[in-house]
Amino acid sequence: MSTEELSQVLRDRREKLAELIRKGTQPFAYSYDRTHDAATAASSFAAAEEAKSLDADGHGPRVRVAGRLVAWRGHGKTAFAHIEDRGGRMQMYFRQDVMGEERFAALHFLDLGDWVGVEGPLFRTRTGEVTVRVEASTLLSKSLRPLPFGKTEVDATTGEKVHHSGFSDTEARYRQRYADLAVHPEVREVFRARAKVVTEMRRFLDGEGFLEVETPALQPLYGGAAARPFVTHHNSLDRRMFLRIADELYLKRLIVGGFERVYEIAHNFRNEGVDRLHNPEFTMLEFYQAFADYSDVLELTEALFGHVAQAVIGGTELTYQGQKISFARPFARIRFMEALGEALGADPTSLSEAELKKRAIALHVPDLDGAGRGKLLDKLFGALVEPKLVQPTFVMDHPIELSPLAKPHRTAQGVVERFELYAMSAELANAFSELNDPLDQRERFEAQRTLGSAGDDEAHQVDEDYLRAMEYGMPPTGGVGIGIDRVVMLLTDQPSIRDVILFPVLREEE
RNA sequence: GCGCCGCUAGCUCAAUUGGCAGAGCAACUGACUCUUAAUCAGUAGGUUCUUGGUUCGAUUCCAAGGCGGCGCACCA
């Protein structure tokens, strides 16, 4: 793009850059040797005050700090500014009589968004803020495009932060996440919290003796969930391949192989709609424990949630979008059929398929064409019970038709040993006593194949290799999948899954 | 896929019934040696998402399209 085509603000910056280069300044430095970040500088000054080691002018330790220039207030022969680095914000005080005329004049070439390094002693201003009395400043990288900085004011009476202007266009914030992050420290905090969630899940499972593994994202057959896949092609093998919709079947192969406790934090890909709770690419934790059933892994799931909540938000109580939610153990437990029966006013097992369909139609549940008994039960549950599940609730023992990979319930008819954890009316986790009878598994696959040929494009595929693995012998196993993005949404009070994924899927720009 | 809402300066937003497209912040020029939404004076900055239509005249009305948000559907 030629200079003439650029808007005025962009042109100004390029002209400044050209002028800097003419003056012999390197506008894109190679490195900067800093001694402190904003946080360590502030604490070292506080320590010096405590030790009464400030000099006669009130100066504490000398520091070299570096960061992005985020605020500038010029006052003639002095100026105040803030830089922001990993440790927070740090104020700088520039004086012509301290820096000398030439260095002070060079500040004219700085813009908000520039990366700078400064050096000088720390002191406390009249208003009490720890500040660098800048003796020398170095431009580290010139910003050629203005960042959409807002301004924040602290309300004198309430003490609350008031935001002025700023960067609020959601589309631009998702597309230009770098700018969103650059001007919104609170967005950076969300993703720090996300990293902590993942770290703490690992720490918890490692502590329980689980082995972290990696299984294929590129799969010859997809499975482990009911979803449409992304299809791709391997050129040199000339073979169709799928991006995984789940890692479940691979993890259970590893259980067959003798790893008794395994887990994976995996990206799954599902070729489906995008909304507040769904991104086509998302992150799931799955873990499998040999010799355990779903009751055992339910206990483990509760403990894991407790551990993560404690580590990330310091407790089990939180507010999500204005609603108080408690992750204090034990979580509520309801049986799928009982909860549905209560909502229907009739035992769903005693209702015929036609009767169920009539009920669904009466509730204006759409898209019932070709829905079998399992799907009808699921639709009715989704319409009648799910919206009520705001507090963490384990929904137990689902209809067998819905769960082709789960073991039949040891006492109840027509259901499997399965639980899903719900909170804020969204599914957070899904688990079963894993089906380990290869003959039963084959029958379930065949039933899925029938559904598939009847037009259900989410029906499970028959995975012969998985059946072969199970024939070698799979120990009784409990397995759990947890949607990490949704857990992060909850713990960080974010309304959309896009707010916890750095680069969410969007349509093409323009 | 359907419905509703939105798209105007770098950012956040105005614009009467269809009548010269404006403000705050950012930018630029100047003043100012403890400010913090610094202040004060001045200047500049526009493909009003795109295409087409109606009209003497369209940011405004109509049609189609694009992108986004929300809701619905889909997502066991």
Side-chain angles (χ1 to χ4, degrees):
Chain A
M1 192 184 278
S2 74
T3 309
E4 299 80 63
E5 290 167 34
L6 297 173
S7 70
Q8 183 199 341
V9 279
L10 269 60
R11 216 162 44 226
D12 285 342
R13 298 249 174 142
R14 302 229 174 184
E15 282 164 11
K16 271 187 190 170
L17 177 74
E19 182 61 23
L20 281 167
I21 292 167
R22 261 199 298 283
K23 283 160 30 105
T25 304
Q26 164 59 271
F28 300 101
Y30 285 88
S31 65
Y32 189 77
D33 188 13
R34 76 170 164 191
T35 59
H36 297 72
D37 66 24
T40 57
S43 58
S44 74
F45 185 80
E49 279 181 322
E50 187 73 17
K52 300 198 186 312
S53 65
L54 304 185
D55 71 14
D57 297 322
H59 291 174
R62 293 183 61 81
V63 295
R64 287 165 63 86
V65 295
R68 173 178 265 134
L69 196 60
V70 295
W72 184 269
R73 298 174 296 282
H75 296 79
K77 295 185 180 63
T78 68
F80 286 92
H82 278 92
I83 61 164
E84 201 169 73
D85 66 18
R86 66 180 178 195
R89 284 188 167 211
M90 172 63 56
Q91 183 166 253
M92 287 163 302
Y93 183 39
F94 300 91
R95 291 178 62 102
Q96 192 184 67
D97 59 6
V98 169
M99 301 180 73
E101 264 186 51
E102 195 180 329
R103 279 176 162 177
F104 190 81
L107 299 178
H108 172 75
F109 290 94
L110 292 181
D111 287 298
L112 293 187
D114 287 354
W115 292 89
V116 296
V118 300
E119 175 172 8
L122 292 168
F123 73 109
R124 205 178 273 284
T125 61
R126 198 179 285 163
T127 53
E129 184 165 350
V130 176
T131 300
V132 182
R133 185 178 297 267
V134 178
E135 293 174 357
S137 76
T138 309
L139 177 61
L140 302 180
S141 183
K142 189 75 198 131
S143 164
L144 294 180
R145 183 181 290 273
L147 279 166
F149 286 111
K151 292 194 172 184
T152 52
E153 176 184 23
V154 179
D155 189 299
T157 49
T158 65
E160 281 179 21
K161 279 190 177 176
V162 183
H163 292 271
H164 299 273
S165 185
F167 188 38
S168 59
D169 182 275
T170 44
E171 178 179 358
R173 289 179 55 202
Y174 295 145
R175 283 196 198 284
Q176 301 186 42
R177 183 67 89 183
Y178 35 87
D180 187 30
L181 291 164
V183 303
H184 291 135
E186 67 275 21
V187 174
R188 296 201 294 272
E189 282 313 309
V190 168
F191 290 99
R192 286 210 176 90
R194 180 178 177 124
K196 194 154 179 62
V197 167
V198 174
T199 300
E200 292 301 330
M201 285 178 170
R202 282 208 169 91
R203 191 194 306 280
F204 178 86
L205 290 170
D206 291 346
E208 296 287 332
F210 283 79
L211 180 74
E212 182 171 11
V213 297
E214 293 182 83
T215 68
L218 205 52
Q219 303 182 347
L221 277 181
Y222 61 94
R228 281 176 290 170
F230 286 92
V231 186
T232 187
H233 183 261
H234 188 281
N235 286 342
S236 57
L237 296 180
D238 189 22
R239 191 171 82 179
R240 187 161 72 140
M241 301 198 82
F242 304 96
L243 297 184
R244 71 172 155 219
I245 58 172
D247 49 359
E248 168 153 357
L249 301 186
Y250 282 94
L251 293 174
K252 286 192 279 195
R253 283 172 170 94
L254 297 176
I255 295 289
V256 168
F259 291 124
E260 293 178 6
R261 297 182 180 198
V262 294
Y263 75 96
E264 181 171 17
I265 294 167
H267 270 213
N268 291 339
F269 306 85
R270 296 186 183 175
N271 208 338
E272 279 146 9
V274 179
D275 67 21
R276 202 172 67 77
L277 292 168
H278 297 85
N279 192 65
E281 175 179 4
F282 65 103
T283 309
M284 180 118 101
L285 164 68
E286 292 198 28
F287 58 91
Y288 292 82
Q289 179 176 341
F291 314 123
D293 63 14
Y294 77 142
S295 302
D296 298 317
V297 292
L298 183 145
E299 298 287 332
L300 200 59
T301 301
E302 265 186 350
L304 183 146
F305 270 86
H307 172 85
V308 170
Q310 190 66 42
V312 176
I313 61 170
T316 54
E317 309 304 306
L318 60 90
T319 300
Y320 183 74
Q321 302 295 294
Q323 282 183 298
K324 294 222 176 299
I325 291 184
S326 171
F327 276 88
R329 295 175 74 179
F331 307 162
R333 295 174 199 196
I334 59 175
R335 287 210 171 74
F336 185 100
M337 288 300 199
E338 282 176 16
L340 182 56
E342 221 166 275
L344 285 171
D347 179 4
T349 55
S350 70
L351 296 175
S352 67
E353 193 169 318
E355 185 65 30
L356 289 170
K357 188 154 190 171
K358 207 179 288 176
R359 298 284 196 136
I361 290 166
L363 288 164
H364 303 104
V365 175
D367 230 48
L368 293 169
D369 296 344
R373 184 178 183 81
K375 198 129 192 166
L376 285 168
L377 291 170
D378 189 50
K379 291 270 187 189
L380 286 167
F381 188 88
L384 295 171
V385 184
E386 257 181 48
K388 297 186 204 155
L389 303 179
V390 173
Q391 295 302 321
T393 304
F394 287 114
V395 176
M396 321 264 308
D397 303 339
H398 298 60
I400 193 164
E401 299 92 328
L402 290 175
S403 315
L405 301 167
K407 251 176 126 60
H409 197 279
R410 61 195 77 184
T411 55
Q413 286 295 309
V415 298
V416 293
E417 295 197 353
R418 173 179 178 185
F419 69 79
E420 288 181 305
L421 175 61
Y422 280 83
M424 63 180 188
S425 307
E427 183 188 340
L428 296 181
N430 182 26
F432 354 106
S433 296
E434 302 294 340
L435 182 55
N436 61 341
D437 171 349
L439 301 178
D440 188 357
Q441 184 67 74
R442 181 175 293 279
E443 284 174 25
R444 306 281 197 95
F445 277 156
E446 295 299 341
Q448 288 289 310
R449 172 139 66 193
T450 306
L451 287 175
S453 24
D456 185 347
D457 55 5
E458 285 162 359
H460 212 287
Q461 298 186 308
V462 180
D463 190 332
E464 288 293 344
D465 179 72
Y466 178 64
L467 290 168
R468 176 168 61 190
M470 204 180 280
E471 285 165 5
Y472 282 119
M474 176 173 154
T477 300
V480 181
I482 296 175
I484 289 182
D485 312 271
R486 290 182 183 177
V487 172
V488 176
M489 282 173 68
L490 219 105
L491 294 178
T492 59
D493 194 19
Q494 296 300 306
S496 168
I497 198 168
R498 295 183 208 89
D499 298 317
V500 300
I501 291 175
L502 281 166
F503 300 100
V505 169
L506 297 173
R507 282 194 168 80
E508 209 171 345
E509 212 170 347
E510 290 168 349

